[in-house]
Amino acid sequence: MAEKFSVIGKSIPAKETKIKATGECKYVDDLPTDLHVKILRSPYPHAMIKNIDVSAAEKLDGVEAVITYKDVPNRLMPRGCARALYILDPHLRHVGDEVAAVAAISESIAEDALTLIKVDYEVLPAVFDPEEAAKPDAPKIYPEGNVYGPQYEPLHEKGINAPTLLEWGDINKGFSEADVIVEDTFEVGPQIHAAVEPHICITSWVGDELTVWTANQVPYEVREGLAYVFEMPESKVRVLSPFIGGGFGGKYLNRYHAICALLSKQSGGKKTKIRFTREEEQTNSKRFLSKQYIKIGAKKDGTLTAIYFKGYADLGGYGNFFGNSGFWGEYPAAAYKVNNSRFEGWDVHTNHFTSQPMRSVQVPATVFSVESVIDQVAKKLNMDPTEFRLMNMPQTGDVMPPLPYTANTVGYPRAELEGYPSKKLMKLVKDELGWDKKWKGWGRPVEENGTKKRGIGIVYSGYEGGFCHDGFMSMAASMNKDGSINIMAGTQDLGNSSNMTMCQLAAEFMGIPLEDVNIFTGDTSIGQYDYFGARASRELTTGGHLLLKALEEIKQKVRIIAAPRLGVKPEEVEIKGKMAYVRTKAETDALKEAIPFAELITSSITAGASGEPGSVFPETAPGKKVRNSMVAGIEVEVDTETGEVKLLNMVTANCPGKAINPEVVKGQYQGATIMSLGYALWEDFVYDENKRAYLTDSFTDYRVPRAQDVPPLKTIVLEETPDRPPHEGTPYGAQGVGELGCWSGPAVVASAIYNALGKRMQKSPMTAEKVLELIKEGENK
Amino acid sequence: MSYPHVITKTIKEFKLISPTTIEEALYALNEYKTDTRIIAGGTDLVPLMKHRAVTPKYVVSIEKLKELDYVRLVGDQLRIGALTKINTIKNSDVIMKNCYSLYEASLVFATPQIRNVATIGGNICRSSPSADTVPSLLVFNAQVKLVNQKGERIIPLEQFFTGPGLNVADSDLLTEIIIPIEKGEYGTAFHKISRNTSDLAKVNCAVKVSISHEKFSDVKVALGAVSDRPIRAKNVEKLLIDKKINAENIEKASEMVINDINPITDVRSTEIYRKEISKVLVKRMLNLAVERAQK
């Protein structure tokens, strides 16, 4: 489209950027409180509380309320977790699980009070490996078994162990047609979200009304959960989430909201605050630890014939979100043209703390495993790995096979890909990295210098980001008499400038200056319900789509008002720049007769939009499908004496459809890519079973990347927009951009290490210890 | 350490004493003895207090004892005041010229923010096995001056440490580090292997070699994070002294470091890895120090 835009496509800083930089911005922790909460946590990974005595804690001066499992409502809090939860439970399922909680006039007194609580525990056997935990004789974390069955068929409730299964074509036939078959196993550790702002909330009761201030990605989920557990109408609960210091998939409804609200209630409604310490934050939620078994078949000419995938993911004690990693299985089908595929995704509870999504569900693990095997298949076929991928990757216009849609998988009907220039992305990365000059063949270093060997790798990923569940969100917009717009959003800005992006969309669509658009979000009293909240990059895709639908309705209302005055039919009226004029005339003539809004309307015009109940496929024209695509390339240097991996240069190419705010888009890609490099190399998660301790509960020992660790990183943004009206499908063809950057880290680093050493890493993070062990192993893979 | 039953982040109440003279500081240390902790930069002490790993009733701040903040060359001795910040060491020409490995350690010591606050005296008195300044001080045969109300004593730094977080100081204030500087040709080198930037060491290593007639006239090798305290690798040293400088001798001697160290597996690394890279580090630092000595 050659259309010229005046507001979108420009890198405009978010309105709150300045106050965030100066510290004027008030986060939840800046708000006043009367009481402070501290939580007594389980010292055992699996235990039952036999006796608990809080009398001494209650008597301590300054303590206002103490709660244990005996004090909580007999109602299971829905949502937020895979398993419904009591606010407190005598059955403790991980080290750090909540045992009791105290509200006091200072944090220090609350901490002192915790030391006075006496607990007798019955220690139970624990299990930490998801594959072990899936076995029938494993210690039972839930009476009905540890396997969390497919959500669309919750077999776990009946005690039936079953994986989430996705199958199409005929997997056996696929392998029988293959000339080359490679199978291998892979493991990834958990990754901690490590948001700068720890989990926090303040609760207070006035009469029978509960107010919650929290840093949260899904305020409506918090409202729904608390209203249910306290047996009150949702209308009596108000949840505000003013600013969030990073979420990354870690900030949903959680027990601590309910603990805080109950303590607040018991202390007469006083403002009560919980703020996690860094140690609590680092042992509260994580991306899944998982194991993957992959088998891929291809013909001599390079055509893929079958992909088999089996994975075990640890949900931890509770498991947040839908409680599963089922989405991961979909990846190969989405990423490669293959007609025969089978997935088994086992989601299993363990005695680790809870797993949650983190910039997508388990995609980085899947990309790591599948791309590693794709590499091995290419090697067996003696094909350049980039050429092999080019041959098998779908691109814009290709028709994807239908995938079964289930409640826990984003399936889709047979659909033509839109905004998926995968092959162009591959070529861009190859050129930028100098692949054709540097690639020396399989397992052969680009360069050798004493003990140092350099290797390059390129991987590709394509998956869903920017889910369009328009049936689960609503947006409202109001046009004022002066033509300015107020947006009442169900979505939430979690610090990624989605509010600014939304304002840019509105300004562009209405043809008005950006200053004339305001957005209201992060408060359930706005009343635009949003089931999923700010996750899966749906703020822009779903929220933006609904916003433009609402604005289109406003335009239509104005057209109807203006049409008789202009003497034309409504469809001939153009709305732009706070005026209505006749579209069919030459613009200069039309503008002479244009009617300003001020003369047309005498009140605000309001419209709301939501999809059909349960609707999930509005993102594009019927029969089409938007997907995110990304190609990443890296050059590394491995020190063969120490196992250290130095990152020399990295290139990624990504397609955002339309980049509404290019710097925001780039920032999302880069931030996610850096996160994934941390996941690949340094972010080791260490639980010591003997000490019953998570040793990586601080930034001292959980090593997120520092600025100096990041290699020169070129981020190529390739736009590809469809030819359709902006309000039909994703807005202006924009795609979600928060996730795809983080998919490639482990895969691309492993690929480059392979080409440096001729040996393949099968466990991530690839710490120097593991790389040195691989070097010393001596056997070629 | 098992998982803390209660995760504390608030500091237990304590009395802060801020002496303006060394005498006042010594008085306080003598008066309150084991209930007392000295605070300089506080980068180690404050986190320990927040976790209530230490709960002193009195904290003696030596911040006002500005007379302990100096780097000076006195005759053939380099003297560093205990209150000298790591950043001062990083920016000191005298240290860069005479004690290059200590300068190298200051470059990779934690983060700029910590370097601006943390002191060399604090790094020594924390007595962490992985302290980044210590291996360099050990290879220079540094001594430390300990002062208490009864008087002062000067002891070799090597004798200061008694275990992880433990040292011989009782009611003493460590006031000065004394580094003898020799006249002849010598070269030093320091390197730390860590998980990523700004991290604590998996292993750190400093080497000082003196050369005469193409032979090692003296060799000092020290390592951190491979024992319960920073250590000298005397088996390596012995094998090299008076030997010809060549790759074979260096390689052979480096292997011997295995007899000097006793590493553990912890959150940062493993025993096996630490043993492997100790050999590599010693070899590389010896080669680098020789190269520098020959320049």
Side-chain angles (χ1 to χ4, degrees), chain B residues 163-183:
Chain B
L166 303 171
N167 57 50
V168 298
D170 185 8
S171 299
D172 303 290
L173 182 67
L174 190 152
T175 57
E176 186 176 56
I177 297 110
I178 303 160
I179 302 171
I181 302 298
E182 64 185 88
K183 297 238 157 51

Side-chain angles (χ1 to χ4, degrees), chain A residues 5 39 65 92 140 147 155 203 223 356 389 393 437 439 471 489 512 543 574 589 601 604 622 642 733:
Chain A
F5 299 112
I39 296 171
L92 304 168
K140 281 200 167 44
V147 175
L155 296 175
T203 56
R223 182 177 78 171
Q356 293 190 182
R389 285 179 173 86
M393 52 173 43
K437 273 189 194 159
W439 166 251
I512 60 175
E574 179 73 274
D589 292 341
I601 55 177
S604 295
T642 65

